[in-house]
C-alpha cells in the first residue's frame, strides 16, 4: 500500500513544491514585530493545509505571543498509537540581506538545492510532513496512525510561551510518542537518528578590585589585579587535559557503555581541523572528540572581559573582570546542582584582594536521552535506511532543544528526533538551503515510518 | 642674600600671580589641533618672560610638532655649575567641561587653591621657576649658577619630538645636572624627593582557535576554548603571592638595600583600601606594598577580552582571546630583554589546540634611579625642609617619565626631580588645582636650592 502513497508524492511533486514555495514566501520572522502579520499568515497557511487534506480539527490557537497551530486526525481508532508531531513555522531574520545570492523569501532552485530562509529550519521539514499526510489521505483516505500536530511560531525566540501551553493543555497534546523533525543528518545523505541531547546551565561572574581603573605605576604592587585573579580562577576550572576540576561535576554522569561507544564510533567523523580552522582537536582525556561532544559534559567560557580593549597600550589595573560560563550536561546531571557546584568552586578559588559577584543564568535544561534500542527508534532507523539506501547512524548532540526537555518532563513519552537537514544548509545564515533530494527521500522515510508504526502495533 | 630674593617674591606676589593667571589663560592643549595657535602663544609667553628678566638667549625653536622654548643664562662663569631645567607648557584637554566648577582657562582662587587647567601640571610649576629666576635677576642682577631652560610643548602627547632633539642638540642642552619639576609630593605639605622611576615594557597577544565563534553544543569537547587556554597562560605568569613566574624576570633586579628599606618605611603610607576601594592590599611575598610599588618590578594585565560581552548568555566557543600586558621595571632590567622573556614564557605555556600571535609594544623605557645620597639630592632635600619646615621624604615611583630616561641615556647627568604638586591636584581631570601655599613654599625651596648649589660648588 505504501507504493500508492509514494506514487502520489511522485505524481504531485510539482504541485507540492509550488505549495512549499508559497509557504517559504511568507516572511514569518518571529523576532521582528514588523513581520507580526506574516507570522500569523504562516500559521493560517498550516491550518488551512491541514483542513484541506481532511484533518478532523485544525486551529490557529492564540498565545501571549505568536499563535500556535494545533491539528488532529484521530480516525485510526483507540487501539492505534497516537503521535504528537512538533515543528515550527517561524524563521530567523534574513539579515544581512546583501550576502544572499537570491531573495530570502523568493525560493529559488540552484544546483539541486532549494534556497530560501526556512527551507531547512524548519518550514521545509514541516512541509514534508504535511505533504506526506496529504498523500496518505488522498490515496488511502486515512492516516496510518492517529496524529496530533503542534506547529509553533516562537521557536526562534526561545519558545517563550510553549512550556506554559504544554502544561495547560495536557489533554490536547497527550500522545503515545512524539516526533520532531527540526534537526539534521551528520552528513549529506547519511540517515541520522538523534537519540540524546545535552542539558544546559550557565552563569556570569565578576571579580571586583578597585572602584575605578588604577594607574599601574602608582598602584601596581599594592593592589590585586582582577584580570590576573580571573585567570587564576578560570584556569582552576579545567585542566589542560580538558577534565573539569569542579568537585562533584562528574559524580552523577552516566558512564558511556561499550555498546554506545561502538554506536558513536560508527558515526562519520567531522574533520574539525578543516571545518573550524583549529590547529588540532583537543578532547577530554580518555575520550574521543565524538564521545566528548556527544556524550560527555562540557564547561566553556563564552565571554571574558576586563580593562582596556582599544588600540595600543593603556597602563591600568582594571577595576573588574567578568566571565560568562555555560556547561552542557549529560543525563544524570541536575542543572541547578551543577550550577551550585560551579559557584562554590569559583567562590573557593577567588583569591584575597578581590570580591566575587555571581549572576545565575535563569534558563536551564536537563539532558535528554532515549534508548536507541527502543522499537520506535529502531523502526525509524529502518525507514530511514529504506529511503536513503544507507545504514542509519545514531548520534547524541551537544546542543539543547528546550521543547524536547519539556515534552519529556511533562508527558514522559518517548521522543523520536528524525531530522532531514544537512551540515551545509546554513541555518540562521545567508543562503539557507535544503537539498531537494532530501526532500524526496525524507518524505519516503516518513511514508515508510508511519506505515511501519501502524503495522508493528497491530 | 637669599633674604633679598625672598623679599622680592613676597613684595611682587600679586604681580606674579597675575602673570601666572595670564599664562594659565592660554589654552595650550597640545592634543587638539584647534589649539595650535594657543600652544605657540604659550611658548612665546615663556620666551618673552625669559627675555624680559634678562636671559642671554631665549628662543622658540621649531620642531616637527609643537615648538620648544630654549633659554640660557650662562653669566655665572665657567667654574660655576650649569643646570638644565626641564618643564612643559602644554596641557591636557579640559573635557568634560561640564564637570568644572569654574572655567578651566580662567584661573580662580577658592579655599587656598588656584583652579585652572595646567595649574599643577605643569605650567604652575614652570612658572615658579620663572618667577624665582626673575627674583634673582632683579635683586642680585644675576642667577646663582648657569641655567639652561628647556620647556617643551608636547609632553601631554608623549614628547613625540623631544628624544630626537635632545640627541641632535647635544651641545645646546649639555649641563652638569638636570632639574625637573613635573611631579608631586606624597602628601600635602610633605617635602618629597623622587629619586627613582620604573621602566616599562609591554605587549599584546592573542590565542586563536577556530576561525569563527562556534556553537558550544556542537563543538564543545572537540575544540580547545581560547578563553580557557588564555586563563591557563595568564595564570602561569604570576602566582597567588604576586611573584612573577617568568624565568629570569628577577635575575637583573637590584636588591633593595636595608638603608633603602628604611628610607621607604619613612614615607607616609597611602591607605589603599580607603583610596581605591579594594578589600585588602596584596603585594609580592616578602615586600611591603610601599616597597613593591616603589622598588620592585610588576607585571599587570591591562586588558583582556574574548567572545560575547553583551547581556545574558551566548553559548559559543570564542574564536580568539586577547590580553594586553605591561611590566614596570626597576634598575637592572633591560626592557627588550624582559619583553623577550615574557614572550618566551607565553609561547612555552600556550597549550596545543590554539595558536599564539604576539604584538610587541614599540614604546619602552628603562628604569631610572639616582643615589639618594648624592650631594645635589641632599641639598635639594635640605632646601625643601627649610621652606616647608618638615623633614623631606625620599620616594621612588612606579610610573615612568620618558624625558628622565632620555636625559639619563643621552647625557648621563644626575637628575633632580623636585615636584610641588599634591595628591589632590586632579591632574588630567576636571577642577585641576594647585595649593597657593605650595606656590609660596615651592619658590622658597628653589631660592634656597639655587643658592646652596652655588655655595657648595665654591
Amino acid at each position: 500500500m505504501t507504493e500508492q502513497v509514494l506514487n502520489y508524492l511522485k505524481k504531485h511533486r510539482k504541485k507540492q513544491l509550488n505549495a512549499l514555495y508559497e509557504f517559504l514566501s511568507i516572511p514569518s520572522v518571529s523576532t521582528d514585530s514588523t513581520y507580526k502579520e506574516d507570522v500569523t499568515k504562516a500559521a493560517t497557511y498550516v491550518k488551512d493545509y491541514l483542513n484541506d487534506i481532511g484533518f478532523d480539527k485544525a486551529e490557529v490557537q492564540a498565545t501571549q505571543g505568536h499563535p500556535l497551530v494545533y491539528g488532529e486526525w484521530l480516525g485510526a481508532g483507540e487501539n492505534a498509537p497516537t503521535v504528537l508531531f512538533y515543528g515550527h513555522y517561524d524563521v530567523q531574520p534574513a539579515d544581512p540581506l546583501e550576502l544572499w545570492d537570491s531573495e530570502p523569501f523568493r525560493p529559488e532552485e540552484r544546483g539541486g538545492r532549494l534556497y530560501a530562509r526556512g527551507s531547512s529550519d524548519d518550514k521545509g521539514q514541516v512541509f514534508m510532513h504535511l505533504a506526506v499526510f496529504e498523500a496518505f489521505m488522498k490515496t488511502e483516505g486515512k492516516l496510518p496512525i492517529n496524529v496530533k500536530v503542534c506547529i509553533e511560531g516562537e521557536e526562534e525566540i526561545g519558545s517563550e510561551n510553549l512550556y506554559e501551553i504544554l502544561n495547560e493543555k495536557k489533554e490536547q497534546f497527550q500522545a503515545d510518542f512524539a516526533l520532531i523533525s527540526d534537526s539534521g543528518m551528520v552528513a549529506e545523505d547519511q540517515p541520522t537518528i538523534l537519540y540524546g541531547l545535552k542539558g544546559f546551565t550557565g552563569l556570569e561572574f565578576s571579580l571586583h578590585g578597585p572602584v575605578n581603573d588604577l594607574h599601574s605605576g602608582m598602584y601596581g604592587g599594592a593592589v590585586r589585579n582582577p584580570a590576573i585573579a580571573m585567570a587564576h580562577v578560570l584556569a582552576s576550572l579545567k585542566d589542560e587535559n580538558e577534565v573539569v576540576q569542579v568537585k562533584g561535576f562528574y559524580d552523577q554522569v552516566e558512564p558511556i557503555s561499550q555498546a554506545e561507544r561502538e554506536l558513536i564510533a560508527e558515526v562519520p567523523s567531522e574533520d574539525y581541523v578543516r571545518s573550524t580552522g583549529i590547529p588540532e582537536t583537543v578532547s577530554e582525556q580518555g575520550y574521543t572528540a565524538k564521545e566528548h561532544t556527544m556524550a560527555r559534559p562540557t564547561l566553556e567560557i563564552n565571554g571574558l572581559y576586563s580593562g582596556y580593549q582599544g588600540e595600543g597600550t593603556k597602563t591600568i589595573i582594571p577595576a573588574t573582570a567578568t566571565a560568562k560560563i555555560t556547561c552542557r550536561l549529560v543525563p544524570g546531571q541536575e542543572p541547578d546542582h551543577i550550577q551550585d557546584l560551579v559557584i562554590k568552586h569559583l567562590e573557593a578559588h577567588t583569591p584575597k584582594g578581590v570580591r566575587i559577584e555571581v549572576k545565575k543564568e535563569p534558563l536551564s535544561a536537563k539532558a535528554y536521552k532515549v534508548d536507541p534500542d527502543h522499537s520506535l527508534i529502531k523502526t525509524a532507523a529502518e525507514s530511514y535506511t529504506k529511503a536513503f539506501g544507507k545504514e542509519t547512524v545514531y548520534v547524541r548532540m551537544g546542543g539543547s532543544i528546550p521543547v524536547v526537555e519539556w515534552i519529556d518532563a511533562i508527558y514522559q513519552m518517548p521522543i523520536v528526533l528524525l531530522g532531514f537537514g544537512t551540515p551545509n544548509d546554513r541555518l540562521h545564515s545567508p543562503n539557507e538551503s535544503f537539498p531537494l533530494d532530501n526532500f524526496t527521500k525524507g518524505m519516503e522515510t516518513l511514508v515508510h515510518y508511519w506505515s511501519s508504526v501502524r503495522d508493528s502495533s497491530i
Side-chain angles (χ1 to χ4, degrees), chain A residues 205-208 224-240 245 299 301 303-307 318 320-325 345-346 349-352 354 356:
Chain A
F205 78 103
S206 296
L207 297 181
H208 300 292
R224 176 84 76 187
N225 185 314
I228 293 181
M230 176 57 84
H232 279 277
V233 173
L234 294 178
S236 74
L237 285 168
K238 220 156 106 170
D239 70 11
E240 296 213 357
Q245 302 294 305
L299 181 153
I301 303 173
L304 177 59
Y305 52 101
S306 180
T320 292
T322 300
K324 291 172 185 281
I325 293 174
H345 178 99
L346 297 174
H349 285 77
T350 297
K352 66 177 187 169
V354 292
I356 187 169

Side-chain angles (χ1 to χ4, degrees), chain A residues 130-376:
Chain A
L130 301 181
V132 167
F133 294 146
E134 175 187 330
F136 276 107
M137 294 298 277
K138 297 287 176 188
T139 53
E140 305 191 351
K142 59 180 182 180
L143 301 181
I145 61 171
N146 298 310
V147 173
K148 292 180 173 184
V149 168
C150 167
I151 312 292
E152 71 156 324
E154 300 193 308
E155 200 273 347
E156 302 294 359
I157 49 173
S159 301
E160 279 175 4
N161 295 291
L162 190 64
Y163 180 72
E164 212 171 308
I165 294 165
L166 287 173
N167 257 307
E168 275 170 10
K169 302 190 172 176
K170 276 194 189 147
E171 211 172 321
Q172 174 174 296
F173 294 114
Q174 191 65 61
D176 296 303
F177 71 105
L179 186 136
I180 299 177
S181 296
D182 190 19
S183 53
M185 321 200 306
V186 292
E188 300 244 355
D189 228 37
Q190 174 56 62
T192 306
I193 295 275
L194 187 56
Y195 69 100
L197 293 164
K198 283 188 184 168
F200 161 90
T201 186
L203 59 86
E204 175 182 310
F205 78 103
S206 296
L207 297 181
H208 300 292
V211 177
N212 304 307
D213 293 347
L214 297 177
H215 188 288
S216 73
M218 287 172 65
Y219 293 97
V223 167
R224 176 84 76 187
N225 185 314
I228 293 181
M230 176 57 84
H232 279 277
V233 173
L234 294 178
S236 74
L237 285 168
K238 220 156 106 170
D239 70 11
E240 296 213 357
N241 298 316
E242 296 287 313
V243 179
V244 175
Q245 302 294 305
V246 174
K247 213 179 151 187
F249 186 79
Y250 296 103
D251 282 2
Q252 272 78 44
V253 170
E254 273 179 21
I256 315 180
S257 67
Q258 191 49 38
E260 190 163 12
R261 289 196 136 169
E262 283 162 20
L263 218 52
I264 291 173
E266 279 165 22
V267 178
S269 288
E270 176 170 350
D271 181 347
Y272 291 110
V273 170
R274 206 182 60 83
S275 63
T276 70
I278 55 172
E280 63 187 299
T281 287
V282 182
S283 303
E284 184 184 350
Q285 199 166 37
Y287 298 91
T288 66
K290 279 191 289 180
E291 286 169 349
H292 194 179
T293 51
M294 289 186 195
R296 294 286 298 174
T298 62
L299 181 153
E300 301 290 354
I301 303 173
N302 313 115
L304 177 59
Y305 52 101
S306 180
Y308 180 64
Q309 304 192 8
E311 276 286 305
T313 294
K314 191 174 180 189
T315 50
I316 53 164
I317 297 172
T320 292
T322 300
K324 291 172 185 281
I325 293 174
T326 49
C327 300
R328 299 282 185 172
L329 310 175
V330 297
Q333 290 182 302
E334 280 293 329
D336 289 353
H337 177 62
I338 296 295
Q339 192 184 49
D340 284 346
L341 292 181
V342 174
I343 292 170
K344 251 182 225 152
H345 178 99
L346 297 174
E347 286 171 348
H349 285 77
T350 297
K352 66 177 187 169
V354 292
R355 188 172 52 74
I356 187 169
E357 181 194 13
V358 177
K359 270 191 220 167
K360 293 181 179 187
E361 162 63 46
L363 285 178
S364 71
K366 277 170 73 171
Y368 172 76
K369 195 180 151 207
V370 65
D371 178 3
D373 287 329
H374 192 291
S375 66
L376 284 163

Side-chain angles (χ1 to χ4, degrees), chain A residues 55 70 90 195 265 288 303 335 348 361 371 386 404 408 416 425 446:
Chain A
F55 263 55
Y70 177 72
D90 65 322
Y195 69 100
T288 66
E361 162 63 46
D371 178 3
K386 216 183 273 181
V404 172
D408 183 44
V416 181
D425 292 358
L446 294 173

Side-chain angles (χ1 to χ4, degrees), chain A residues 380-435:
Chain A
E382 286 156 19
S383 307
Y384 229 145
T385 297
K386 216 183 273 181
F388 282 78
K390 216 170 169 183
E391 277 302 306
T392 300
V393 295
Y394 293 78
V395 303
R396 287 165 70 175
M397 203 175 80
S400 307
I401 305 179
V403 66
V404 172
E405 201 225 336
W406 299 339
I407 292 174
D408 183 44
I410 302 168
Y411 296 92
Q412 287 97 39
M413 52 169 118
I415 303 167
V416 181
L417 297 165
L418 203 62
F420 300 105
T422 81
N424 305 316
D425 292 358
R426 296 181 172 270
L427 313 184
H428 296 203
S429 298
N431 296 318
E432 178 178 349
S433 68
F434 190 72

Side-chain angles (χ1 to χ4, degrees), chain A residues 2-13 139:
Chain A
T2 53
E3 272 315 301
Q4 237 187 317
V5 182
L6 292 173
N7 280 335
Y8 179 92
L9 288 170
K10 257 177 229 153
K11 200 171 150 193
H12 295 85
R13 182 178 169 83
T139 53

